[in-house]
Amino acid sequence: MRGFWADELDQRRQGGLYRFRKAVSPHPSDPARVLWRGRPLVNFASNDYLGLARDPRLAAAAARAQRREGTGAGASPLVSGWLPVHRSLERRLAEHAGTDASLVFPSGFAANLAAVTALAGPGDLVLSDALNHASLVDGCRLSRARVEVFAHADPSSADGILSRCRGSFRRAWIITDSVFSMDGDEAPLADLAVVARRHDAGLIVDEAHATGVLGPRGRGLSASLPMDAVPAGLVRVGTLSKALGAQGGFVAADRGTIRWIVNQGRSYMFSTALAPGSAAAARAALRLSHAEPWRRERVLALAGRLRDFMAGLGRPAPGDSAIVPVIAGPERLAMAWAGHCLDRGWLVPAIRHPSVPRGGARLRVSLSADHSDDDLAGLMEALATLPETEA
Ligand SMILES: Cc1ncc(COP(=O)(O)O)c(C=O)c1O
């Protein structure tokens, strides 16, 4: 059958926008590598920033929790799925984020959906950074609040919108990633907090790429804000699926806000609770992220070296995170660059629309504490010889 999608997919193929999955397998002995078509590739595509996803201590913690509490939670947390492992993980995450309470979800995507849709609704105003993650964008749309997009990382743009519109709305929220997933740069959180305060707005910060990596002791960039920085509400969202090497997401906030999301967040209420094994693995990872600060230091040092190198090649990358973009522009050029790296044994994804704007395609290098100096040197060599054209 030639489905209705066939022509559209052909067009995407021609435009370098077709999406497909690579059938990779874990390397048997090296967590920094995967096997693809029988070949080992150094993995610069994973968000396992601290190198914890294949740590045997996480696997052992997951196995113990599965034996004790089951492989699945069996029901929504509101029915019978809120188990001891969730409660203890929620306490640890609240301590980690420096908040009264937290709430654990099956994914970071679900956590963002619940936070935004529970806190904003018809009659409210949400201001969303132009480069926010898809889960925040979808949360804004589903909330049925009025959505205004402010210029990327630009507090004066948010301030201008709030000055014009704030009076017509009941509540307002500024919503931003703390580290932008495809650019690796950071939101100006202190300045956004000042704008939020000035206009009696709340601030929702998605710490997906900062959790465990950036901020004091890896507690996220919003952990540097004073507790009373945003009187109308400061809500932190994070994921357990990237630096913490497990699976799931969380919201951390004051107790009242958490109670409200339990009652109003549909992706919390109507979804089975996080699998106990994932919760236990995340709890172990959180402990290790504190006990082994060298992981954070290592990944940030590698990213810093790559940024310096790329700046020397005339391709500077913004920010201080573990994500280093190499901007190509045309989609097909980014695909050619990914192929160039792949041929040399480096797995680096080409990121294209709709993850980034059309014509803003790029390689996205994710560093990990597992990468060796030689891995980085090899990647640099490949990046220094990127082809000028897609042919
Ligand atoms: C900024 C950001 N927020 C949220 C998410 C979703 O997190 P998860 O993968 O745990 O669903 C991602 C994942 O790609 C992300 O990059």
Side-chain angles (χ1 to χ4, degrees):
M1 174 184 134
R2 190 171 164 82
F4 68 89
W5 52 82
D7 289 343
E8 173 66 27
L9 287 182
D10 282 347
Q11 275 174 24
R12 288 189 190 186
R13 261 187 214 100
Q14 279 158 24
L17 289 171
Y18 185 70
R19 302 228 169 187
F20 55 91
R21 297 168 292 172
K22 266 199 176 55
V24 298
S25 309
H27 188 283
S29 57
D30 183 348
R33 283 168 169 68
V34 291
L35 298 176
W36 180 66
R37 297 184 177 167
R39 278 176 65 205
L41 299 174
V42 181
N43 190 358
F44 287 104
S46 165
N47 300 312
D48 178 21
Y49 302 123
L50 299 183
L52 287 170
R54 292 190 56 201
D55 191 298
R57 294 169 292 182
L58 270 65
R64 279 195 302 274
Q66 284 175 345
R67 275 197 299 276
R68 255 193 333 259
E69 303 190 25
T71 47
S76 156
L78 291 173
V79 181
S80 67
W82 194 43
L83 300 174
V85 69
H86 300 123
R87 300 195 285 276
S88 103
L89 176 59
E90 287 177 356
R91 281 194 297 277
R92 305 270 166 84
L93 285 167
E95 274 163 33
H96 173 82
T99 55
D100 296 346
S102 85
L103 198 57
V104 167
F105 291 76
S107 72
F109 202 108
N112 272 335
L113 285 188
V116 178
T117 57
L119 295 171
D124 296 335
L125 173 64
V126 293
L127 281 86
S128 176
D129 185 286
L131 296 187
N132 273 348
H133 186 258
S135 52
L136 291 176
V137 172
D138 289 0
C140 289
R141 289 177 181 152
L142 279 174
S143 74
R144 293 183 291 145
R146 161 89 162 267
V147 182
E148 293 283 338
V149 174
F150 64 94
H152 174 54
D154 184 351
S156 66
S157 168
D159 192 41
I161 296 169
L162 283 162
S163 301
R164 267 198 324 277
C165 307
R166 176 69 183 94
S168 316
F169 294 91
R170 183 180 54 167
R171 282 189 284 274
W173 292 93
I174 298 177
I175 303 180
T176 186
D177 288 5
S178 70
V179 170
F180 290 87
S181 51
M182 298 301 142
D183 290 73
D185 60 333
E186 291 97 23
L189 288 183
D191 293 340
L192 288 173
V194 170
V195 172
R197 194 184 180 102
R198 181 178 307 138
H199 295 282
D200 187 29
L203 182 60
I204 300 175
V205 183
D206 176 3
E207 299 271 20
H209 295 279
T211 304
V213 181
L214 289 171
R217 298 178 65 225
R219 294 169 57 220
L221 293 173
S222 58
S224 304
L225 295 175
M227 293 295 267
D228 59 352
V230 189
L234 173 58
V235 177
R236 303 180 167 114
V237 188
T239 178
L240 312 174
S241 326
K242 300 189 193 298
L244 297 181
Q247 178 82 43
F250 67 93
V251 178
D254 62 277
R255 222 172 282 287
T257 300
I258 294 297
R259 273 194 206 113
W260 176 242
I261 298 173
V262 168
N263 277 270
Q264 188 69 14
R266 291 168 68 83
S267 57
Y268 188 74
M269 302 163 75
F270 299 111
S271 187
T272 300
L274 178 66
S278 299
R283 191 177 53 184
L286 202 56
R287 186 178 61 71
L288 291 173
S289 76
H290 292 149
E292 298 177 357
W294 65 265
R295 294 177 179 277
R296 193 161 57 243
E297 289 154 15
R298 169 82 183 153
V299 68
L300 292 177
L302 289 171
R305 269 154 59 190
L306 183 57
R307 275 195 174 79
D308 290 348
F309 181 76
M310 295 314 294
L313 292 180
R315 298 187 190 280
D320 294 303
S321 72
I323 303 164
V324 181
V326 185
I327 308 294
E331 285 72 25
R332 294 171 66 95
L333 183 60
M335 293 298 283
W337 285 4
H340 169 90
C341 293
L342 196 66
D343 289 346
R344 287 156 181 76
W346 319 112
L347 180 60
V348 188
I351 305 291
R352 297 157 290 153
H353 179 79
S355 305
V356 293
R358 278 180 200 278
R362 65 201 59 186
L363 295 180
R364 175 185 186 269
V365 181
S366 297
L367 281 310
S368 164
D370 274 339
H371 289 135
S372 68
D373 289 353
D374 285 350
D375 293 338
L376 183 65
L379 176 71
M380 286 173 171
E381 217 174 283
L383 294 176
T385 53
L386 290 172
E388 294 293 328
T389 63
E390 59 203 56

